[in-house]
């Protein structure tokens, strides 16, 4: 079975080594015998994005994010076709913001987004920085999720999306509602860097499984030996939650 991954703007959006998420997806699929291809897609590259099973977009600084925002507008229909067709999209930080309706900076500048996610973001003077502990439910099972956030944008969710997780420690989307990230269909947005999937392999597997089920609903990934990863996740969870109190 094949898995085709598109890495969007790896030269512009790679804050805190977000490209590590692509590596984790690739390796965990290959360890299960899947034939994986990874294409780097940036300004000037115009493949049909619906041909990809997974698209990953990281975060970047304001200058790079401005360049990406302009380019995304040119490929708006292309990315929307992919989302509507069930391509799994993982967008981190700046990439997350740009999939929403708009981003209004703290100086009042309005940067239009693609409107794929029913969210909008407003710049704040205070940065929300630090480790995040969350609880995410997948197929009725709760998982502890660890990440790192560093953002000044406050993201607010509309009625057409659901939060990706509940915040146990950290700020999350806005620092107000105790939710982090968003899920809308097969599109996932989050502020968590790290890279996120290295710390939470269960989420990587969930994304791969969703992507493969576009072609075969019966797909179930075989289990890998994640004893080390699970032990590390558990220790981090306990340490960070206890540090909270």
């Amino acid at each position: 079975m094949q898995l085709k991954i598109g890495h969007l703007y790896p030269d512009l959006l790679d804050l805190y080594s977000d490209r590590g998420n692509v590596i984790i997806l690739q390796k965990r699929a290959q360890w299960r015998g899947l034939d994986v291809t990874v294409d780097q897609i940036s300004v000037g590259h115009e493949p049909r994005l619906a041909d990809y099973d997974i698209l990953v977009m990281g975060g970047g600084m304001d200058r790079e994010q401005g360049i990406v925002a302009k380019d995304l507008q040119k490929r708006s229909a292309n990315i929307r076709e992919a989302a509507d067709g069930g391509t799994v999209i993982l967008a981190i930080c700046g990439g997350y913001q740009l999939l929403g309706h708009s981003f209004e900076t703290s100086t009042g500048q309005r940067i239009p987004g693609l409107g794929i996610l029913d969210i909008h973001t407003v710049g704040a003077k205070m940065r929300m920085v630090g480790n995040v502990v969350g609880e995410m439910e997948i197929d009725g099972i709760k998982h502890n999720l660890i990440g790192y956030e560093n953002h000044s944008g406050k993201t607010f969710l509309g009625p057409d999306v659901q939060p990706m997780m509940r915040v146990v420690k950290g700020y999350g989307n806005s620092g107000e509602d105790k939710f982090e990230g968003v899920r809308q269909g097969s599109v996932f947005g989050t502020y968590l860097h790290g890279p996120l999937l290295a710390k939470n392999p269960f989420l990587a597997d969930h994304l791969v499984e969703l992507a493969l089920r576009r072609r075969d609903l019966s797909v179930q990934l075989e289990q890998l030996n994640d004893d080390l990863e699970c032990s590390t996740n558990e220790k981090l969870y306990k340490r960070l939650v206890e540090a909270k109190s």
Side-chain angles (χ1 to χ4, degrees):
M1 187 173 288
Q2 292 186 325
L3 183 72
K4 192 172 182 180
I5 301 173
H7 188 182
L8 297 174
Y9 308 104
D11 54 334
L12 295 169
L13 301 180
D14 187 34
L15 205 60
Y16 302 113
S17 299
D18 289 327
R19 70 178 60 237
N21 292 310
V22 175
I23 296 172
I24 296 299
L25 289 167
Q26 178 184 14
K27 290 300 182 182
R28 292 188 69 82
Q30 288 176 333
W31 292 337
R32 293 175 165 98
L34 275 67
D35 180 13
V36 184
T37 59
V38 178
D39 292 340
Q40 297 188 350
I41 305 165
S42 194
V43 177
H45 304 151
E46 293 294 337
R48 181 172 179 262
L49 298 179
D51 291 337
Y52 289 88
D53 300 301
I54 302 177
L55 295 171
V56 179
M57 184 162 55
M61 303 299 287
D62 289 347
R63 175 184 174 277
E64 287 77 12
Q65 196 166 322
I67 295 171
V68 171
K70 291 179 181 179
D71 191 68
L72 279 175
Q73 291 299 324
K74 298 176 184 177
R75 65 174 93 220
S76 174
N78 195 355
I79 242 181
R80 188 174 291 278
E81 179 194 15
D84 291 345
T87 293
V88 173
I89 301 176
L90 174 64
I92 309 289
C93 201
Y96 170 28
Q97 295 169 347
L98 291 172
L99 292 186
H101 297 299
S102 64
F103 177 87
E104 185 177 334
T105 69
S106 58
T107 60
Q109 178 187 5
R110 185 181 184 277
I111 301 173
L114 294 184
I116 290 174
L117 290 174
D118 186 19
I119 62 172
H120 72 278
T121 303
V122 178
K125 293 182 179 179
M126 182 191 76
R127 293 200 71 82
M128 290 169 270
V129 183
N131 291 305
V132 176
V133 177
E135 290 183 350
M136 181 177 182
E137 187 171 312
I138 297 176
D139 297 330
I141 300 174
K142 287 185 178 180
H143 298 268
N144 298 332
L145 191 143
I146 309 293
Y148 179 82
E149 63 183 339
N150 185 348
H151 58 102
S152 60
K154 302 177 73 171
T155 295
F156 299 94
L157 279 54
D160 295 333
V161 296
Q162 60 183 10
M164 191 166 148
M165 69 196 80
R166 182 181 69 86
V167 173
V168 176
K169 174 184 172 62
Y171 295 97
N173 286 325
S174 65
E176 300 176 16
D177 57 16
K178 304 305 291 182
F179 292 122
E180 206 294 313
V182 69
R183 177 176 180 182
Q184 184 173 311
S186 60
V187 183
F188 296 78
T190 177
Y191 276 115
L192 301 189
H193 299 279
L196 172 66
L197 300 184
K199 295 179 177 179
N200 305 282
F202 71 88
L203 179 55
D205 289 351
H206 181 57
L207 298 181
V208 171
E209 204 163 66
L210 282 177
L212 295 176
R213 285 178 181 172
R214 286 205 308 163
R215 296 190 295 273
D216 183 353
L217 290 174
S218 67
V219 166
Q220 286 189 326
L221 296 180
E222 63 179 88
Q223 291 296 313
L224 297 176
N225 185 343
D226 288 331
D227 289 349
L228 178 60
E229 291 85 348
C230 291
S231 174
T232 302
N233 183 289
E234 184 178 353
K235 288 178 181 177
L236 282 171
Y237 182 91
K238 289 180 178 178
R239 188 178 76 189
L240 294 172
V241 171
E242 288 173 359
K244 174 185 176 183
S245 58

